[in-house]
Amino acid sequence: MIPPIASRFVAGETPATAFDHVRQYNEDGVKVILNLLGEHYADRENADADADAYVSLVRDIGNTDLDACVSVKPSQLGIDIGADVFRENFRRIVEAGDEHDVFVWCDMEDHETTDITLDAFEELAREFDGGVGQCVQANLRRTREDLERIVDVPGKIRLVKGAYDEPNDIAYTDKASVNEAYREDLEYLFKERDDGIAVGSHDPKMISFASELHAEYGADYEVQLLMGVREDEQRRLASEGVETWQYAPYGDKWFSYFYRRVRERKENVLFALRAIAGV
Ligand code: FAD
């Protein structure tokens, strides 16, 4: 069972607990992106099993009236085993999404997976007419060119700052440069697209910049934040009519995800300590 301190960041261990979570946030107008925790599988069996779980999840979401979709990780679907394994599993999930009218996002992992991931996105988003979304990372120096390549692809593009420690020759490694790249990439998306732009950031400056860009260029956008992070802001945005999605992981592999959230920010450590101390 997930201890209460971790349940701030993880929507339980099963689809049933995840659905309860979705229901609760939907009541406040916040939509939910479900992510089954799991990554870097070295065995095809595990990758196929998680793909099966996503196919069932997508079908189950489609049989409810919940505002929910899914987000998968390439290494969970087998990219470390082989590009073909990832593509086959990703395709199965997108086919299920198409059948049950459930949107499928793909996270972006380290730079060695970028080409394979973007190729798969482009192929599937074109074939399934936009039922797929792809995350791109502003910290990678290549991203502007990648955006030029995929800007006309149907579906959605989620812009994040980038969570992976990448070498300086391929990535901006200081915060100021990443922020500058983020703003430039976001503006490019608003200029070039009419919709399908997702701001995957907790940064108040980026969220308000998106609102300014929307006013200037008119393109539709959504904001995506992680479960357990700035949840008051998630509700506030939704109540103001901004399409707001919460990325909520669930599943039995919750410990490393929780540990990452706690390590990356001192407020999260304090929250965890306070919960342990009962204050
Ligand atoms: P930061 O630059 O970390 O912080 C900027 C400001 O945001 C802070 O000064 C503060 O005001 C506010 N803020 C940030 N965190 C908190 C907090 N915990 N509590 C309160 N205020 C806070 N990365 C990938 O590499 N691949 C992915 O597929 C991916 N998917 C993601 C999906 C979603 C929905 C989100 C939200 C993030 C995703 N990320 C992904 C992570 C992303 O790359 C960043 O590492 C992460 O979001 C931190 O950057 P930031 O823009 O939120 O803000």
Side-chain angles (χ1 to χ4, degrees), residues 7-278:
S7 55
R8 168 181 166 174
F9 299 105
V10 180
E13 289 187 285
T14 64
T17 57
F19 279 18
D20 286 345
H21 179 85
V22 175
R23 207 161 285 118
Q24 189 192 332
Y25 281 79
N26 280 180
E27 277 172 21
D28 292 329
V30 176
K31 304 174 182 191
V32 181
I33 304 166
L34 288 175
N35 167 255
L36 171 63
L37 288 163
E39 57 193 322
H40 294 299
Y41 292 141
D43 295 323
R44 173 138 204 180
E45 210 182 356
N46 290 329
D48 290 353
D50 274 19
D52 290 345
Y54 269 118
V55 168
S56 304
L57 184 71
V58 161
R59 184 200 56 218
D60 292 348
I61 292 173
N63 288 332
T64 69
D65 57 359
L66 297 175
D67 264 325
C69 65
V70 300
S71 198
V72 303
K73 282 203 186 318
S75 72
Q76 171 176 41
L77 302 184
I79 206 169
D80 298 346
I81 306 160
D84 52 334
V85 180
F86 161 61
R87 288 169 93 106
E88 280 168 31
N89 279 329
F90 191 16
R91 169 174 287 276
R92 285 205 290 134
I93 299 163
V94 173
E95 278 169 356
D98 186 56
E99 187 183 340
H100 298 287
D101 201 17
V102 174
F103 196 83
V104 178
W105 279 101
C106 187
D107 290 356
M108 185 61 88
E109 297 179 286
D110 69 85
H111 74 274
E112 290 183 359
T113 63
T114 311
D115 281 324
I116 296 169
T117 307
L118 289 180
D119 287 349
F121 162 66
E122 187 169 1
E123 181 184 314
L124 292 171
R126 288 197 194 283
E127 186 177 334
F128 291 90
D129 200 23
V132 194
Q134 180 58 53
C135 179
V136 295
Q137 300 151 322
N139 67 326
L140 294 190
R141 295 177 191 273
R142 58 175 285 169
T143 289
R144 177 55 188 271
E145 262 181 46
D146 289 337
L147 286 178
E148 285 169 16
R149 166 184 160 193
I150 61 172
V151 77
D152 292 328
V153 175
K156 297 186 188 180
I157 299 172
R158 173 203 303 153
L159 182 65
V160 299
K161 290 187 186 176
Y164 295 80
D165 280 334
E166 301 285 13
N168 192 44
D169 56 328
I170 58 157
Y172 306 109
T173 49
D174 65 293
K175 262 185 177 289
S177 304
V178 175
N179 285 339
E180 194 184 329
Y182 193 98
R183 294 173 80 92
E184 285 174 10
D185 291 344
L186 197 59
E187 181 152 19
Y188 176 75
L189 286 172
F190 271 88
K191 269 187 192 160
E192 299 296 324
R193 284 177 78 91
D194 296 330
D195 53 24
I197 303 168
V199 180
S201 176
H202 311 110
D203 191 336
K205 292 200 185 83
M206 300 311 164
I207 294 171
S208 56
F209 186 47
S211 161
E212 288 165 28
L213 291 170
H214 170 67
E216 187 173 349
Y217 298 106
D220 286 334
Y221 74 105
E222 61 192 57
V223 178
Q224 300 183 355
L225 302 94
L226 300 184
M227 177 181 174
V229 180
R230 303 193 71 211
E231 292 206 352
D232 289 349
E233 175 69 357
Q234 298 179 20
R235 293 193 184 87
R236 189 191 68 78
L237 286 165
S239 74
E240 291 189 351
V242 177
E243 184 171 341
T244 306
W245 287 84
Q246 179 189 91
Y247 182 108
Y250 76 97
D252 57 10
K253 300 184 186 71
W254 55 267
F255 183 77
S256 53
Y257 178 82
F258 165 64
Y259 185 63
R260 221 183 296 157
R261 293 282 80 77
V262 168
R263 272 188 43 202
E264 80 191 356
R265 215 174 154 77
K266 74 174 185 305
E267 285 86 341
N268 294 343
V269 179
L270 290 174
F271 170 85
L273 289 174
R274 271 205 299 268
I276 291 166

